Amino acid sequence: MLESLRRIVQEVDNAPDLEQALAIIVRRVKEAVGADVCSVYLNDYDNRRHILQATDGLRQAAVGRVRIELGRGLVGLVSERAEPINLDDASAHPRYLCITDTGEQRYHGFLGAPIIQNRKVLGVLVLRQLEKRHYLDDEVTFVVTLASQLAGAITYARTNGELARLQDEGIPQRFLPGLAASPGIGIGIAAVVYPPADLDAIPDRRAENPQAEEDAFRGALQDVAADLDRMVARTQTNLSAEDVAIFDAWRLMLESDTLVDGTVARIRAGNWAPGALRATIADHARVFDGMEDAYLRERASDVRDLGRSILMHLQNLAAAPIAYPQKTILVGAEISAMQIVDVPRERLAGMVSTSGSGSSHVAILARGMGVPAAMGVADLPVGRAEGRDMVVDGYRGRVYVSPGPAVRAEYQRMADDDRAMSNELQSLRHLPAETTDGYQLPLFLNTGLVSEHRPLGIEEAAGVGLYRTELPFIVRDSFPGEAAQMSNYRKVLEMFAPRPVTIRTLDIGGDKPLPYFPVHEANPFLGWRGIRITLDHPEIFLTQVRAILRASVGLDNLQVLFPMISTVTEVDEALTLLRRAYEELLEEGYQVRMPPVGVMIEVPAAVYQAEALARRVDFLSVGTNDLTQYLLAVDRNNAHVAKLYDDLHPAVLRALSQTLAGARVHGREVSICGEMAGDPLAAVLLLGMGVHSLSMGAHSLPRVKRVIRSISRARAREVLQAALQCEDAASVRRILFETLEGLGLGGLVRPRR
Ligand code: PEP
Ligand code: MG
């Protein structure tokens, strides 16, 4: 049976379309189990019915015609229970339904297995026997396994319109799910791209002339650096500081000892340049591959992308010119930054990649260029996508292949609304985030690694609410020294002075290890991270706070923030070290000042101790990303549970209220710096709660400002009261969505479905 299972799965995989996949299944299963009939019914939820979609044993003319009301009969029962039902004598069952159109006789033996994907029952695979028969456990498992094989084929057929055609109905079209990577709606024609140079296929080869190989390698590095400059020039004005930082990280990698010296050493040891490059890139990418943190794992694909770009120049591969459609949706299993930049901007309508996520390099590039993108659309068969009509919903990470006219028209309307909205947001640039009753809520930027580029949002923001210091540590080969750190911090403090800049001390840990400081833990999120590491390594902490304090000399706009605090002792110890650094620097003659200090509220324990923490410091800053993860016990990078992650969960709202109450006792301000702060829906609640400031990515700033400027504080408090009555996140979301719709701002947010 195992052998026939393997064969059938292979045949189904190779079937060109759903119709044939179903035909193979019913024929093969009937044969393998020795049943009298094998059929597949598909669920049509919109029209509330089960449709007979394939059969071997019943009349073929009945296919597509027999429609059973949803939930009726034994098919309805299997679908309802979402589990197999095995009956010796179905005709004796109260739910038995005899349908004469199918040429049915009175069958006795019955086995029905649900076809399920993502908890949803898509249909039912049914076996029947004229005689009484109880199917054996092995037979049940066999049928259940094959039913699950069908789920993917059915989903794809729904999205590309095949199912609608098969069922000859205008069934609302389905989509291929992926990850939202760059907001917006893209409508166009798919152009498929493939990796330009296959680094892994490069063999080792003896270098005839090592010096010539080394020169060629260094020349290729320069060519890539020039490409990078062109890329930055094309996107810069639209990139947030964090996004620009990724380019800087690329440049650092391009100049890093690991890449340059590693490759040159291999060339000098006798390998030719492409072989030496392949080995170096593989080593370097492996370090990132092994990381727990999804963001850092994505850097492995950046490293490979970089390797391919260098190889392309090494081999002088001029990419063959591609005739891009007027409205191109760029599609690929792995799209490189160079391939994006190759498409004339005015033709690039959207991007779809079957791998990657929102933190992929190309996703960042897409956001910078304002190109809607969905990543990780794993079910899209790239090989069959060329030339197809496509809609990319970059808000929800959805892709529609060959959409019907209704889907197209709906998305066209959304795209038109977006255009109008973005013009309007542009006009708010120089206006404050002030409510209709005159209350100003300062909006700050979240950023990390500010370079010579002047990133988006810099004029608009009230300052930097969260400067993440991890990036310069991550892209180097060893801990940066005091001077190197100081120059980084100085740049951001100078760029925003006199506006405040809140620099957070190092927040690495088991989930974000540094390549040169590996931490292996069974439970990294509950492990050695944030302040726990830096207190255990005072030399790292002291070097960093000395650099931070020195960077602020003469500017007076510094604030310091401690991450991952779970006890008051940690705050006391961190403050002691900070004071020690301050006094040392005074003794050394630096004109430093003791900055205001805050702690992050990211762990449930800190919420319950907000008052005790607030007594020790000058302000609190809530990291809602970690706080939500720890309150709900959900790792949002884990696909199995990501849908449970929701920062509008009532527990999160209560935690925020409690934090504010604790801070109020000592008259301390509370800022929100997790992603929730940049969500236009949540902005209404946070305003109503009385938080003192919000800190967010640059792209969120105009949207949140638009909301603040449209509502009064009094109304926001009313909405908050209503939201606090809710028992689940979906109800909170509904109230907020209706509020924004009522303000004419529905277009700022797309409802989650
Ligand atoms: C947070 O946890 O919300 C936060 C802002 O910190 P980070 O995202 O850097 O962990
Ligand atoms: Mg955090």
Side-chain angles (χ1 to χ4, degrees):
M1 199 145 261
L2 208 62
E3 181 49 28
S4 45
L5 187 67
R6 199 185 53 75
R7 260 200 336 267
I8 300 175
V9 167
Q10 206 164 36
E11 272 188 74
V12 169
D13 274 354
N14 292 337
D17 54 34
L18 179 66
E19 197 172 7
Q20 297 196 42
L22 292 177
I24 293 165
I25 285 270
V26 291
R27 194 176 67 245
R28 291 290 193 204
V29 173
K30 180 173 166 246
E31 267 169 28
V33 183
D36 291 320
V37 176
C38 178
S39 315
V40 173
Y41 291 81
L42 295 188
N43 292 358
D44 171 5
Y45 287 101
D46 296 310
N47 297 299
R48 303 199 42 76
R49 60 202 176 175
H50 308 281
I51 302 177
L52 177 69
Q53 206 59 61
T55 184
D56 189 339
L58 300 181
R59 206 182 286 142
Q60 284 306 313
V63 171
R65 297 251 180 81
V66 169
R67 290 152 186 205
I68 308 170
E69 193 187 323
L70 201 68
R72 282 199 69 208
L74 288 170
V75 168
L77 190 65
V78 174
S79 179
E80 226 170 80
R81 292 201 184 155
E83 59 183 15
I85 293 182
N86 187 1
L87 300 170
D88 318 9
D89 186 4
S91 66
H93 195 281
R95 294 279 286 264
Y96 181 75
L97 203 66
C98 186
I99 299 166
T100 46
D101 292 6
T102 54
E104 267 199 38
Q105 309 172 40
R106 254 194 125 65
Y107 289 100
H108 295 282
F110 173 97
L111 172 62
I115 303 168
I116 301 182
Q117 191 164 53
N118 291 336
R119 296 192 190 181
K120 188 161 180 180
V121 180
L122 306 179
V124 180
L125 182 63
V126 176
L127 289 180
R128 290 170 178 235
Q129 210 75 32
L130 279 170
E131 305 302 320
K132 287 189 181 169
R133 170 172 180 179
H134 192 80
Y135 290 93
L136 302 174
D137 278 359
D138 275 0
E139 292 165 337
V140 176
T141 318
F142 175 78
V143 172
V144 167
T145 310
L146 285 173
S148 71
Q149 282 296 315
L150 271 180
I154 295 170
T155 304
Y156 182 62
R158 278 228 155 96
T159 62
N160 70 13
E162 187 196 340
L163 197 57
R165 278 194 303 282
L166 273 183
Q167 296 181 342
D168 199 21
E169 296 275 345
I171 291 177
Q173 214 170 347
R174 302 302 152 117
F175 53 85
L176 291 173
L179 302 165
S182 171
I185 305 296
I187 304 174
I189 294 180
V192 176
V193 289
Y194 297 93
D198 186 1
L199 197 57
D200 294 334
I202 298 291
D204 287 333
R205 190 174 286 167
R206 271 218 78 67
E208 299 292 325
N209 179 351
Q211 188 55 51
E213 295 291 323
E214 185 178 330
D215 293 347
F217 170 64
R218 290 191 189 275
L221 289 181
Q222 278 173 11
D223 292 341
V224 175
D227 285 347
L228 205 53
D229 283 342
R230 270 197 296 279
M231 252 155 61
V232 174
R234 277 179 85 155
T235 54
Q236 191 185 329
T237 46
N238 276 323
L239 281 176
S240 70
E242 266 184 334
D243 292 348
V244 170
I246 297 297
F247 284 105
D248 290 336
W250 245 45
R251 202 182 297 268
L252 281 171
M253 269 191 234
L254 202 57
E255 293 162 5
S256 73
D257 296 348
T258 322
L259 179 63
V260 183
D261 296 356
T263 310
V264 168
R266 286 181 165 99
I267 293 174
R268 290 184 185 162
N271 208 346
W272 67 323
L277 175 69
R278 186 213 65 236
T280 310
I281 293 287
D283 266 7
H284 201 34
R286 209 171 302 124
V287 174
F288 288 102
D289 271 335
M291 296 191 176
E292 291 274 346
D293 184 69
Y295 176 84
L296 291 180
R297 257 198 326 270
E298 280 296 338
R299 303 283 72 81
S301 72
D302 288 355
V303 172
R304 294 198 179 91
D305 209 3
L306 191 65
R308 277 196 293 266
S309 307
I310 302 170
L311 181 65
M312 232 169 74
H313 284 289
L314 258 181
Q315 299 182 321
N316 279 327
L317 286 181
I322 301 177
Y324 295 105
Q326 285 295 340
K327 298 245 175 252
T328 297
I329 306 287
L330 204 61
V331 174
E334 208 175 316
I335 300 177
S336 80
M338 306 296 171
Q339 285 167 329
I340 300 175
V341 181
D342 192 50
V343 188
R345 178 64 193 90
E346 65 284 1
R347 292 191 175 211
L348 187 55
M351 256 177 47
V352 180
S353 163
T354 57
S355 60
S357 72
S359 56
S360 306
H361 187 233
V362 291
I364 292 166
L365 192 58
R367 287 198 290 275
M369 294 169 72
V371 177
M375 311 282 291
V377 187
D379 295 336
L380 177 71
V382 170
R384 285 191 265 149
E386 181 73 28
R388 306 284 288 256
D389 274 340
M390 248 180 221
V391 169
V392 183
D393 177 342
Y395 294 106
R396 301 187 186 111
R398 295 176 176 182
V399 176
Y400 294 77
V401 182
S402 307
V407 170
R408 237 190 125 88
E410 174 64 8
Y411 272 103
Q412 190 58 56
R413 190 187 56 73
M414 266 158 92
D416 294 344
D417 286 355
D418 278 2
R419 205 162 304 115
M421 179 64 85
S422 101
N423 292 340
E424 195 193 324
L425 291 179
Q426 200 60 23
S427 68
L428 298 180
R429 278 191 86 144
H430 299 288
L431 299 173
E434 186 175 301
T435 60
T436 53
D437 47 359
Y439 174 77
Q440 286 202 10
L441 180 64
L443 305 185
F444 288 81
L445 275 186
N446 286 354
T447 169
L449 197 75
V450 174
S451 64
E452 60 279 9
H453 307 299
R454 292 184 65 77
L456 191 71
I458 186 167
E459 275 99 22
E460 242 182 311
V464 173
L466 173 63
Y467 179 81
R468 293 182 168 102
T469 54
E470 293 75 48
L471 208 56
F473 284 78
I474 288 167
V475 295
R476 280 191 167 75
D477 301 323
S478 59
F479 278 107
E482 188 176 313
Q485 288 192 49
M486 190 190 89
S487 92
N488 265 321
Y489 307 144
R490 182 84 188 169
K491 273 185 205 145
V492 64
L493 288 163
E494 270 175 348
M495 190 177 282
F496 285 86
R499 292 169 288 171
V501 171
T502 303
I503 298 185
R504 181 176 74 182
T505 62
L506 197 58
D507 186 23
I508 50 154
D511 69 318
K512 288 190 244 178
L514 302 176
Y516 48 88
F517 188 76
V519 179
H520 299 290
E521 294 174 309
N523 237 331
F525 284 113
L526 304 182
W528 205 37
R529 55 173 303 199
I531 201 78
R532 300 171 182 180
I533 289 195
T534 47
L535 288 179
D536 287 348
H537 278 279
E539 76 289 6
I540 299 175
F541 190 77
L542 282 169
T543 306
Q544 184 176 36
V545 291
R546 278 178 58 95
I548 294 174
L549 291 173
R550 277 180 59 193
S552 73
V553 169
L555 292 172
D556 206 20
N557 61 339
L558 169 70
Q559 307 201 112
V560 172
L561 185 60
F562 301 139
M564 276 297 291
I565 294 292
S566 57
T567 69
V568 292
T569 320
E570 287 165 341
V571 181
D572 293 340
E573 287 175 2
L575 282 171
T576 305
L577 288 174
L578 178 64
R579 271 193 212 103
R580 194 170 116 196
Y582 163 71
E583 277 154 20
E584 275 173 18
L585 288 169
L586 280 183
E587 274 173 28
E588 291 168 32
Y590 292 103
Q591 303 284 310
V592 288
R593 292 210 194 162
M594 190 63 189
V597 177
V599 297
M600 287 195 77
I601 306 291
E602 322 185 74
V603 177
V607 172
Y608 292 108
Q609 286 213 289
E611 185 187 329
L613 293 170
R615 180 148 45 82
R616 289 169 162 76
V617 291
D618 304 291
F619 65 96
L620 303 183
S621 185
V622 187
T624 49
N625 306 342
D626 275 316
L627 184 59
T628 305
Q629 130 159 306
Y630 290 124
L631 277 175
L632 306 186
V634 174
D635 170 6
R636 68 166 148 178
N637 294 318
N638 174 345
H640 296 294
V641 292
K643 61 177 180 297
L644 295 175
Y645 180 98
D646 197 329
D647 52 23
L648 294 178
H649 190 294
V652 178
L653 305 190
R654 279 172 208 287
L656 292 176
S657 300
Q658 187 157 342
T659 304
L660 278 155
R664 209 172 295 124
V665 175
H666 300 287
R668 305 291 189 244
E669 296 203 339
V670 177
S671 151
I672 309 289
C673 67
E675 276 179 31
M676 187 180 190
D679 175 1
L681 284 177
V684 176
L685 289 183
L686 299 174
L687 174 69
M689 269 185 206
V691 303
H692 300 87
S693 61
L694 302 176
S695 190
M696 65 199 74
H699 290 287
S700 306
L701 218 135
R703 289 167 188 268
V704 171
K705 189 194 280 187
R706 178 80 177 83
V707 173
I708 304 289
R709 289 184 60 83
S710 308
I711 195 167
S712 69
R713 233 181 148 195
R715 174 85 184 105
R717 288 194 182 115
E718 282 168 22
V719 176
L720 173 69
Q721 286 317 316
L724 287 175
Q725 305 302 313
C726 296
E727 292 183 347
D728 59 30
S731 315
V732 175
R733 194 171 293 285
R734 200 170 316 117
I735 291 178
L736 296 175
F737 189 69
E738 281 163 11
T739 305
L740 289 204
E741 285 263 282
L743 296 168
L745 299 179
L748 277 182
V749 278
R750 303 281 174 208
R752 266 194 192 181
R753 268 191 231 149

